[in-house]
Amino acid sequence: MPDLKIQEAKLLFKKIHSNPKSYDLKINEDGISGRDDEISFRLYRTGERVAFEVTIDELTFTNTTGEWNNAMIMLESTIKKIEREDENFKIEQAIDKLRKYLSEEN
């Protein structure tokens, strides 16, 4: 696997973190993964370190500089926030449907 330079890795992470809803973010036992139409990435633990792996055009680049522990925590928080927002939106939609249903005359 070719190395992903730290400058490029930081820029990519900043792009992902600034617009997380455009990546199909998932938390799983291996770490965090995401993708859009052009790239896929994962942040995962390798022993004591976290690796940032990016795949583009079927080539995978990796950076293991030790900078990614905080990045992983930040993305986990962001994913949980998005999940809460989605759940709250679904609840609001259901309440609106219930109110509409209750206001209809039979």
Side-chain angles (χ1 to χ4, degrees), residues 45-76:
R45 296 204 180 280
T46 58
E48 301 269 324
R49 301 183 125 196
V50 174
F52 186 28
E53 185 178 279
V54 179
T55 303
I56 186 165
D57 292 338
E58 299 180 19
L59 287 171
T60 301
F61 301 86
T62 305
N63 184 284
T64 55
T65 57
E67 303 246 344
W68 305 113
N69 281 322
N70 287 339
M72 199 165 183
I73 292 166
M74 287 170 66
L75 269 188
E76 285 175 353

Side-chain angles (χ1 to χ4, degrees), residues 90-104:
K90 288 177 186 175
I91 290 169
E92 287 299 317
Q93 283 184 317
I95 290 171
D96 288 345
K97 283 183 179 179
L98 177 59
R99 286 181 181 145
K100 183 179 177 188
Y101 177 81
L102 292 173
S103 69
E104 292 175 355

